[in-house]
């Protein structure tokens, strides 16, 4: 871990914490950070020692204040802009499709691409100081990393359009009310809360967690098939047997 690392990684007890580390730009997501997030998450997916990943931002001020607006100016033509968005979409879709849980620990601004990153995670916990919003329209653009669809699915069409069509920020209490985040906690207690949640998930068998995530959006057929596969597994047999034996004692 060095000062220049754009994404710092710390791992213990099956929990990997990835910290977007560019505080001087409020952790704005530039190409390098996106590439590092991608490679670290793909590595975590392959590493049996990682059970749960937490994504957060360095410093007390921002989770990520958006995609890097400076990089937009380097996009020479429509084609370059489209490819830029496709690239971000692919990375965030990869995050959303990981078999292991990913929790966003939102410690400050989650704006634009930063909010899209949080939306690609499975669960969102926020500091009471966090601020949320989609300011893209105020820049004459739109959320291009999959956030339009993800926000609408999570909080509904009109609530997400309200955020996107006005560009107005909302506070953590309002984000909780809308269902944009799952928990809001005192700023200083955020990581403690998130790590406790992650630890609880890390205790569960990875195959069960992966199957539950896989079922989402795939309907009852997939649910039955994956239930069938899990219920006869050694892991499930031994856990169910342990439960029954404890009851008998
Ligand atoms: N892209 C690039 N740089 C960004 C950035 C972004 N999305 N968000 C913040 N920064 C940079 C600022 O340019 C500034 O850099 P500088 O010190 O070299 O001037 C630094 O981060 C600190 O930001 P600053 O605006 O001075 O902080 P603030 O506390 O006054 O305001 C915000 C905080 C979040 C309200 C403000 O930074 C902001 O509106 N950022 C852009 C949010 C946005 O539109 N995101 C969507 C992009 S898709």
């Amino acid at each position: 871990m060095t000062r220049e690392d754009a994404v710092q990684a710390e791992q213990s007890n099956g929990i990997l914490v990835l910290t977007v580390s560019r505080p001087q730009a409020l952790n704005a997501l530039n190409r390098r950070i996106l590439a590092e997030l991608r490679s670290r998450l793909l590595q975590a997916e392959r590493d049996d020692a990682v059970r749960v990943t937490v994504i957060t931002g360095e410093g007390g001020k921002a989770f990520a204040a958006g995609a890097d607006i400076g990089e937009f100016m380097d996009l020479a033509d429509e084609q370059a802009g489209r490819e830029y968005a496709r690239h971000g979409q692919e990375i965030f879709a990869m995050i959303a499709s990981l078999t292991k849980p990913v929790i966003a620990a939102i410690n400050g601004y989650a704006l634009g691409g930063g909010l899209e990153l949080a939306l690609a995670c499975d669960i969102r916990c926020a500091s009471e100081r966090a601020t949320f919003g989609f300011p893209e329209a105020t820049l004459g653009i739109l959320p291009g990393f999959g956030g339009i669809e993800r926000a609408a699915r999570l909080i509904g069409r009109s609530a997400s359009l309200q955020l996107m069509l006005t560009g107005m920020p909302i506070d953590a209490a309002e984000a909780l009310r809308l269902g944009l985040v799952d928990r809001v906690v005192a700023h200083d207690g955020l990581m403690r809360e998130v790590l406790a949640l992650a630890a609880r998930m890390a205790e569960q068998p990875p195959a069960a967690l992966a199957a539950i995530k896989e079922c989402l959006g795939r309907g009852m057929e997939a649910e039955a098939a994956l239930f069938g596969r899990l219920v006869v597994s050694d892991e499930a047999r031994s856990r169910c047997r342990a439960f029954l034996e404890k009851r008998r004692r």
Side-chain angles (χ1 to χ4, degrees):
M1 202 161 80
T2 66
R3 278 305 304 156
E4 299 88 62
D5 266 355
V7 177
Q8 295 175 18
E10 266 180 275
Q11 191 176 326
S12 71
N13 302 323
I15 302 168
L16 173 69
V17 178
L18 296 180
T19 305
V20 174
S21 182
R22 199 187 168 212
Q24 70 282 7
L26 300 183
N27 302 325
L29 306 169
N30 59 14
R31 288 179 187 273
R32 180 171 168 200
I33 289 178
L34 289 172
E36 278 199 37
L37 270 175
R38 179 178 182 279
S39 73
R40 289 200 185 272
L41 284 161
L42 286 172
Q43 197 182 325
E45 183 76 348
R46 290 189 300 264
D47 181 352
D48 288 342
V50 175
R51 298 288 195 100
V52 183
T53 301
V54 173
I55 301 178
T56 192
E58 188 176 328
K61 218 174 149 187
F63 175 72
D68 189 318
I69 298 169
E71 286 186 348
F72 297 163
M73 305 307 283
D74 303 333
L75 300 170
D77 54 25
E78 196 172 327
Q79 178 66 15
R82 185 199 305 253
E83 278 164 18
Y84 172 86
R86 292 299 300 218
H87 180 65
Q89 284 175 357
E90 277 164 22
I91 295 171
F92 286 10
M94 178 277 287
I95 295 173
S97 72
L98 293 170
T99 64
K100 301 174 186 182
V102 185
I103 305 173
I106 304 167
N107 54 310
Y109 288 114
L111 300 174
L115 181 50
E116 292 181 288
L117 172 61
L119 289 171
C121 298
D122 295 314
I123 290 164
R124 284 152 290 283
C125 298
S127 150
E128 61 192 1
R129 291 191 207 153
T131 300
F132 304 81
F134 284 111
E136 282 87 345
T138 69
L139 297 168
I141 54 170
L142 54 73
F145 290 169
I148 295 183
E149 283 297 319
R150 282 199 185 92
R153 282 205 297 269
L154 191 65
I155 64 171
R157 180 184 159 94
S158 57
S160 58
L161 279 178
Q162 207 177 157
L163 292 177
M164 291 178 196
L165 300 183
T166 63
M168 273 165 59
I170 58 171
D171 64 15
E174 178 70 356
L176 184 65
R177 199 185 64 76
L178 292 176
L180 197 60
V181 296
D182 305 289
R183 294 183 187 201
V184 173
V185 299
H187 186 75
D188 293 337
L190 177 65
M191 280 318 276
R192 195 175 343 111
E193 174 95 359
V194 168
L195 291 174
L197 188 65
R200 182 73 201 199
M201 292 179 189
E203 287 169 14
Q204 319 309 328
L209 303 191
I212 290 166
K213 285 188 64 174
E214 199 184 328
C215 285
L216 282 171
R218 286 195 49 207
M220 307 252 182
E221 201 59 40
E223 193 177 278
L226 288 165
F227 179 87
R229 187 192 301 169
L230 284 175
V231 78
V232 296
S233 67
D234 292 346
E235 180 79 47
R237 287 283 193 243
S238 96
R239 284 179 175 243
C240 292
R241 193 175 305 117
F243 174 82
L244 294 171
E245 279 166 7
K246 205 159 89 198
R247 298 274 309 256
R248 235 178 271 136
R249 254 186 268 134

